[in-house]
Amino acid sequence: MKPITLVFFLLTAAAWAGVEVDVDKFGESLGGWKKEDGKAAEYKFSESNYRTYKPEISKAPDGGIFISVRVDHMRGMFSSDDHASLEMSFGPDGALLSAQAYISIQERRISSDMFRSGSRSAAGAVGNVVGGTGAQAAKVGGEVFANLTGKLLRENVTEPGRVAFPAALRHNYNLFYPCVHVEKDPPKALPVEEGIDATKPVTPPAAVEKKAAPGGTIEVRTFGEPPPEPAPPAKP
């Protein structure tokens, strides 16, 4: 039989590829990217109409990402829409670094303070939702939108869709966060050893057994040249 050469591979440890966003899942949670040529989703929230655009995602060199989500308050055919933006930064390990939001109403820009997170991500495996239970994300989100709501109310805003705008932004925030995951590179194979003949079993030297002499006779092992045979006796 022709010898077969086997090649063994060693799986290397996977390195972090960074943070990824499931944009399709986010769109589905809002009713689907069915508007603006597949770039936006429209829905009703708190009896008012809103439009969310696909997020803009910028990747950092270290694997982290910066995300900006635009949300419009649709006020009707004869009224100008209000605009808002939700911004979030994630580190390469999936930790939420910061979050901020702002609303623009008739050229008035109302912005929340930027709130930062000092926590580490609980996402320890491939595909885990960033932040595990999301408790830290909920805390940061609560601070951002409470701050934004307080500033908006000081502007004497009374239109229902505008009053509910911070809550609509938080709705987007809550839906977006579970769509963020930490992904890994696939494991890579490196050749370790080759040239092994698959037709011959490999047995460790310590496992080689001595063969017993047949018939219970004594086996004599000699080393060097065998002794010469004795000469035949001389004839008388």
Side-chain angles (χ1 to χ4, degrees):
M1 181 182 293
K2 184 179 180 181
I4 301 175
T5 301
L6 298 182
V7 180
F8 291 89
F9 293 93
L10 175 66
L11 295 180
T12 60
W16 290 112
V19 184
E20 300 293 336
V21 179
D22 191 339
V23 176
D24 291 336
K25 180 180 177 181
F26 178 52
E28 289 173 2
S29 66
L30 294 169
W33 304 118
K34 301 175 181 178
K35 303 296 182 179
E36 303 292 327
D37 296 326
K39 299 178 182 179
E42 295 182 0
Y43 50 93
K44 185 178 290 290
F45 180 83
S46 188
E47 303 303 321
S48 298
N49 297 314
Y50 297 91
R51 179 193 299 117
T52 296
Y53 291 84
K54 284 186 176 180
E56 296 181 2
I57 303 171
S58 301
K59 290 202 172 187
D62 64 354
I65 57 175
F66 173 78
I67 300 166
S68 177
V69 181
R70 175 184 165 184
V71 182
D72 292 345
H73 168 218
M74 303 167 61
R75 301 178 63 232
M77 185 178 299
F78 302 104
S79 302
S80 299
D81 292 344
D82 301 322
H83 308 289
S85 180
L86 172 61
E87 298 175 349
M88 295 169 284
S89 293
F90 293 88
D93 62 348
L96 175 66
L97 302 180
S98 65
Q100 187 177 23
Y102 70 82
I103 295 174
S104 295
I105 297 176
Q106 294 180 348
E107 299 182 355
R108 287 181 295 169
R109 181 183 172 106
I110 304 164
S111 178
S112 75
D113 296 339
M114 178 179 289
F115 289 88
R116 299 182 181 275
S117 170
S119 68
R120 301 292 292 177
S121 168
V126 179
N128 273 10
V129 175
V130 171
T133 61
Q136 185 63 28
K139 180 178 182 296
V140 172
E143 294 170 336
V144 168
F145 299 111
N147 182 264
L148 182 64
T149 300
K151 292 182 177 181
L152 181 66
L153 292 178
R154 288 198 291 269
E155 298 291 330
N156 296 320
V157 174
T158 59
E159 187 176 330
R162 289 175 171 174
V163 174
F165 213 171
L169 284 176
R170 182 163 190 173
H171 176 64
N172 278 264
Y173 178 87
N174 292 341
L175 295 176
F176 183 83
Y177 193 79
C179 300
V180 182
H181 295 78
V182 176
E183 298 291 343
K184 287 184 178 181
D185 286 326
K188 299 177 182 178
L190 296 177
V192 176
E193 185 177 356
E194 62 180 0
I196 298 178
D197 190 348
T199 63
K200 297 180 180 180
V202 179
T203 307
V208 177
E209 298 181 359
K210 295 181 179 180
K211 295 181 179 179
T217 60
I218 299 175
E219 180 186 9
V220 178
R221 297 183 180 182
T222 60
F223 299 90
E225 297 292 334
E229 296 182 0
K235 295 182 180 181

